[in-house]
Amino acid sequence: MAARFSGVLQLTDLDDFIAPSQECIKPVKVDKKPGKAAAKIRIEADGSYFQVNQDGEAQKLEKAKITLNDCLACSGCITSAESVLVSQQSHGELCKVLAQNKAAAAHEQKLVVVSVSPQSRASLAARCRLGLLETAQKLTTFLKGLGKCVHHVFDTTFSRNFSLLESQQEFVRRFQRQAEDKKALPMLASACPGWICYAEKTHGSFIIPHISTTKSPQQVMGSLVKGYFAEQQHLPPDRIYHVTVMPCYDKKLEASRPDFFNQEFQTRDVDCVITTGEVLKLLEQEGVSLSDVDPSPLDTMLGRAAEELSSHRGGGSGGFLEHIFIHAARELFGIHGASIHYRPLKNKDFQEVTLERDGQVLLHFALAYGFRNIQNLVQKLKRGKCPYHYVEVMACPSGCLNGGGQIKLEGESSKEELQQVERLYESLRAEVPEQNQAVRELYEHWLGGWGSHRALQVLHTQYHAVERASSALSIKW
């Protein structure tokens, strides 16, 4: 692994690497028995290992297994979870689980739910040359046909409403307490797990207080599926197998965080994450062209069939900056319908937005995509020269639509390809989270209202500084 770039970076031609990758290691306890000379290790043609002692006796050795829980995001995994770490979360694992579920006794079978991200849907639509609604309807049919035991297919645009609303309220609270809490601002977005891994491991306790505690749309959906939806189905959380389709390999790492594991029922909020590219592999594996699949009605969590898709304003990474900006302008300064004008700085992936009145800057926001811009942002923070109140931070250059798990279009330059996906993504009607009736119902009847203690428990999380392993590559000369 140390000899090459991350597999995802290779696949997507992203060039945003910070440092050479360290060897991916997992400490293994070795029991040394006194009085025995060192044994030799023999490697067979099939890759298996044998320990050969002085008497010539050979003993086959078990291969060390590394799971996502062992990952320290040592550097290659900052922007992607390496393939050796994600064996438990792949389309192959999904197929295996579906087959086991189908063969299980009726009382042991799980309800299978798949939640699809809007970025993945746009990438698939561009690849298959379909409209977004058509893609969603056909994908619903295809996914429900996998092993004939996928029961519901949801859209994570729904859960993103909660992430946006909670982020808005959290920013206002932080802004109002900035005088007594020096680390309340700037508030940094938390929806990107690649950025979170980097922040926890590289800057730890310095940066963590600035990061929004609001869960990402994927993890909010996990809470909704294993919480609200499980209750509606009269099932315990561990009787639901929840799969998400994401534009990013780091989402696999996010789903595996201990914070998103239910100790009582011994189940994760999101059991398996597959990327957009892995959905394409599933289609190829089944010998199916998505354009030839019949459409199905779209599922919703509240049981009403959806007749159309919707999105949110503010770009392909979720629109956190714009929603928080407009909400803060209204709540803090009484300015309704604040206009947003982006001003590029060093590059298109580092832009800022200001709200001014009578020549005074009231709000100063920015977006920083890609690790080069993130490093610049962190350095400003460390020097005490960061002027921003809020920053939308994403690890991938150009944001989530350009995620490492997205599909590479044939014969298209990366720029044209991204523009095509962006056009599709932005073609939907943008909804206002506060006006979504289903969201309002869940807040009122399940979460106990806006800003309730239960809402904070269900929709927020925490972060942890990760102790860095020292190596020659991490020394700053």
Side-chain angles (χ1 to χ4, degrees), residues 2 12 44 47 61 92 110 172 216 248 260-261 282 321 323 331 337 349 365 367 403 405 413-414 424 441 447 450 467:
T12 55
E44 299 293 319
L61 300 174
K110 295 187 178 185
V172 169
S216 71
C248 169
F260 305 132
F261 183 79
L282 282 172
L321 181 151
H323 283 82
E331 295 298 313
D349 279 338
F365 281 27
L367 59 80
S413 74
S414 57
L424 280 163
E441 284 182 28
L447 292 170
W450 306 95
E467 186 178 340

Side-chain angles (χ1 to χ4, degrees), residues 447-461:
L447 292 170
W450 306 95
S452 68
H453 177 68
R454 179 163 170 76
L456 287 171
Q457 275 189 318
V458 172
L459 304 176
H460 290 256
T461 186

